[in-house]
Amino acid sequence: VSPQFDRNGRLWLLHSWSDGGALSHSYQVQPGAAAVSVVAQFVPAVAVNLLTDPLGLTLTADGLDGASPVKLAWAAGDAHTVTAPVHQTDAAGNPWAFRSWSNGAANSQTVQATDAQVETGIRLTAAYDPLSRIRVESVPSGLALGVDGANCRTPCEVERTPGTVVRVSAPAWI
């Protein structure tokens, strides 16, 4: 089982097997073989907590998506790619825009786990700002209206930061 805690509460990660097999593999004992030992070699692990503010938004770690909080274990010295989508929608359908990581990095970053972090762990939070969704409709529908200078064929939706002034314009005649 990897990762796992020892009786002192330290986190360990499976690094390799003494037979050189993959981390998860079958081992076949040959008929008539003498006693055989296959040893699992563990290394100290860094506990990693990836969060979003608000909680529950999606994050990607090494290409795998998960809803926050995401709890991982990394070996010291290993580098991992962590990505917070620039724009996403929560389970209730509300839109959110990425603002920043708690370490100031861009939305996609490479994080290097260190020996010192075996004791402290890694905790990163991706902060998001809410967006307002505005639906523009017309009677009849299908008209080309302007929203902040861009064409918007009705019905259409735009998302903006709350408090933003949105300029909607209609042609003088159709």
Side-chain angles (χ1 to χ4, degrees):
V1 176
S2 181
Q4 61 178 291
F5 290 94
D6 66 17
R7 65 175 62 130
N8 297 318
R10 294 197 59 180
L11 187 61
W12 295 86
L13 193 62
L14 178 63
H15 182 263
S16 62
W17 288 97
S18 60
D19 69 344
L23 296 183
S24 178
H25 71 286
S26 298
Y27 183 85
Q28 184 174 4
V29 177
Q30 300 302 320
V36 176
S37 292
V38 179
V39 179
Q41 297 163 338
F42 285 80
V43 295
V46 175
V48 179
N49 289 301
L50 303 175
L51 304 142
T52 58
D53 180 17
L55 280 173
L57 297 179
T58 300
L59 295 172
T60 304
D62 296 328
L64 299 173
D65 293 340
S68 77
V70 176
K71 295 180 182 267
L72 304 166
W74 295 343
D78 287 352
H80 299 269
T81 302
V82 179
T83 304
V86 173
H87 180 272
Q88 61 179 304
T89 303
D90 66 18
N94 301 310
W96 297 89
F98 174 77
R99 180 179 355 118
S100 65
W101 279 102
S102 54
N103 65 354
N107 75 301
S108 186
Q109 62 177 306
T110 300
V111 179
Q112 180 88 29
T114 66
D115 289 326
Q117 291 168 324
V118 168
E119 296 300 323
T120 62
I122 296 173
R123 181 182 175 100
L124 291 172
T125 302
Y128 281 82
D129 291 324
L131 294 174
S132 293
R133 185 173 291 136
I134 304 162
R135 182 172 174 85
V136 180
E137 298 180 357
S138 66
V139 177
S141 65
L143 300 180
L145 301 180
V147 177
D148 290 336
N151 283 337
C152 176
R153 186 156 305 274
T154 62
C156 65
E157 291 184 350
V158 295
E159 294 175 347
R160 299 291 189 269
T161 304
T164 301
V165 174
V166 179
R167 300 194 192 306
V168 179
S169 60
W173 57 272
I174 297 173

